[in-house]
């Protein structure tokens, strides 16, 4: 895996990252809602307890001590493929002023590595058509069709 630009590091999401702007970066992707700090911590600790299932990473800019990119791998256990595991990449976002520096690419590479290390036989994701070229650069190929049902 190639390295990040100088002055950035990638690591697991931490309990202090609420204050480093974790939700603001996710806001690049979609409406994040109106969390209290405690709401955020409740979700953080729920996922931390299940740390063989949820792998959330952040890229931090050292100069500002802010989160600038986020991403999650969810590991699904299955009966098929002899109790196989499938990795699902979710909620990838890079803050607007930091896009185009390969931070998204490095985030995906790190999540692919975690998936492989944790025994996933494939890693899949859903994305908008406009992001297909980005994911192709990350080694993904188009398969089938996404369907959705909203409650
Ligand atoms: N169209 C074509 N090429 C692209 C695009 C695009 N939309 N985005 C990136 N690329 C290319 C880059 O030019 C680069 O190519 P190169 O290696 O030839 O120079 C390569 O993909 C890697 O690009 P990065 O610099 O790593 O991309 P960036 O850090 O800007 O992250 C991302 C890309 C995550 C899509 C970012 O633009 C973003 O946060 N967008 C808004 C939120 C979003 O749409 N997230 C993805 C949701 S899908 C999901 O979560 C599963």
């Amino acid at each position: 895996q190639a390295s990040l630009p100088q002055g950035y590091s990638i690591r697991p999401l931490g309990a202090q990252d609420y204050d480093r702007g974790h939700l603001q970066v996710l806001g690049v992707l979609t409406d994040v809602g109106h969390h209290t700090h405690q709401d955020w911590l409740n979700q953080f600790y729920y996922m931390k307890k299940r740390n063989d299932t949820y792998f959330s990473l952040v890229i931090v800019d050292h100069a500002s001590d802010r989160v600038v990119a986020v991403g999650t791998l969810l590991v699904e256990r299955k009966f098929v493929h002899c109790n196989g595991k499938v990795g699902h990449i979710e909620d990838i976002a890079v803050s607007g002023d930091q896009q185009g520096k390969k931070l998204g690419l490095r985030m995906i590479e790190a999540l692919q590595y975690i998936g492989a290390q944790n025994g996933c036989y494939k890693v899949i994701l859903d994305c908008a058509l406009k992001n297909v070229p980005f994911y192709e650069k990350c080694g993904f190929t188009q398969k089938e069709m996404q369907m959705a049902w909203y409650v």
Side-chain angles (χ1 to χ4, degrees):
Q1 181 182 332
S3 57
L4 288 164
Q6 190 129 30
Y8 295 84
S9 54
I10 188 164
R11 59 163 173 74
L13 178 69
Q16 308 306 319
D17 289 332
Y18 177 88
D19 297 317
R20 294 193 178 90
H22 176 251
L23 285 180
Q24 284 87 332
V25 179
L26 273 173
V28 171
L29 178 65
T30 190
D31 175 25
V32 290
H34 301 283
H35 298 61
T36 63
H37 193 170
Q38 192 57 50
D39 292 334
W40 186 91
L41 284 171
N42 291 347
Q43 193 75 309
F44 173 80
Y45 285 116
Y46 177 95
M47 292 176 178
K48 193 175 164 70
K49 252 194 287 177
R50 294 158 181 86
N51 66 0
D52 60 351
T53 303
Y54 291 96
F55 298 86
S56 277
L57 300 181
V58 291
I59 296 177
V60 177
D61 172 16
H62 296 168
S64 60
D65 194 30
R66 299 290 289 175
V67 171
V68 293
V70 301
T72 296
L73 181 85
L74 176 67
V75 175
E76 175 203 3
R77 285 173 178 267
K78 302 182 83 74
F79 285 110
V80 297
H81 290 276
C82 197
N83 289 356
K85 292 180 192 168
V86 172
H88 299 262
I89 285 183
E90 291 285 340
D91 297 345
I92 303 299
V94 177
S95 60
D97 60 340
Q98 301 276 345
Q99 291 177 8
K101 298 181 179 179
K102 304 266 197 288
L103 301 180
L105 177 68
R106 301 299 170 230
M107 173 60 71
I108 298 298
E109 286 174 345
L111 296 173
Q112 287 167 320
Y113 179 80
I114 290 170
Q117 290 296 304
N118 282 274
C120 295
Y121 69 90
K122 68 176 177 182
V123 172
I124 59 177
L125 59 87
D126 295 320
C127 72
L129 278 177
K130 69 175 164 54
N131 286 331
V132 166
F134 166 70
Y135 287 110
E136 285 177 340
K137 294 230 156 121
C138 299
F140 286 79
T141 51
Q142 275 186 263
K143 289 267 283 181
E144 313 290 346
M145 177 69 75
Q146 181 204 49
M147 307 286 282
W149 181 80
Y150 288 88
V151 178

